[in-house]
Each structure stands twice: as structure tokens, then as C-alpha cells.
């Protein structure tokens, strides 16, 4: 490309996509790495009054919709 504005815009879009990809990969790795120790950690926490889904169930249950 010879247009410097178009080149800079394209570069910024590519950088944003790279940052988003790295962030999503880091989130996936973190959830995957915490899958085993979370049940043990949840046993150490006092039970709340209201029953809610566990962190492991929330992380591994597929979401519906968008």
C-alpha cells in the first residue's frame, strides 16, 4: 500500500486483533489450569446461604445465545 493512513489503520487493526487473541488465549489457559484445584478451593470456602452454581460448573457449562 502506498497510502500511509491506510497502512497505519491496517496495522492498528492487526495489533488490536493480536491483543484480543492473546487475551482470549490467556483466559482459556487460566480456566483450563484452574479446573482441577477449584473444587478443592471451594471446599475451603464457607457455604453461602443461597445455592449458586459452582465456579467449575459455570466455567465448564456451555453458554446459550451470543
Amino acid at each position: 500500500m502506498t497510502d500511509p493512513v491506510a497502512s497505519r489503520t491496517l496495522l492498528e487493526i492487526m495489533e488490536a486483533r493480536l491483543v484480543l487473541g492473546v487475551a482470549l488465549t490467556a483466559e482459556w489457559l487460566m480456566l483450563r489450569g484452574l479446573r482441577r484445584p477449584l473444587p478443592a478451593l471451594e471446599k475451603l470456602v464457607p457455604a453461602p446461604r443461597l445455592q449458586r452454581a459452582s465456579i467449575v460448573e459455570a466455567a465448564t457449562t456451555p453458554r446459550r445465545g451470543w
Side-chain angles (χ1 to χ4, degrees):
M1 265 186 219
T2 58
D3 184 11
V5 175
S7 296
R8 182 68 183 160
T9 303
L10 184 60
L11 180 62
E12 289 176 2
I13 291 171
M14 291 173 66
E15 288 175 356
R17 289 181 66 181
L18 177 65
V19 168
L20 181 63
V22 169
L24 290 173
T25 302
E27 179 186 10
W28 180 77
L29 287 172
M30 181 185 69
L31 287 174
R32 186 145 170 93
L34 290 175
R35 190 176 294 164
R36 278 187 169 169
L38 274 179
L41 292 173
E42 283 183 340
K43 290 178 185 176
L44 299 175
V45 177
R49 287 185 173 174
L50 299 174
Q51 290 293 333
R52 292 185 274 169
S54 73
I55 297 171
V56 173
E57 289 172 0
T60 57
T61 303
R63 296 179 187 167
R64 295 182 181 192
W66 214 105

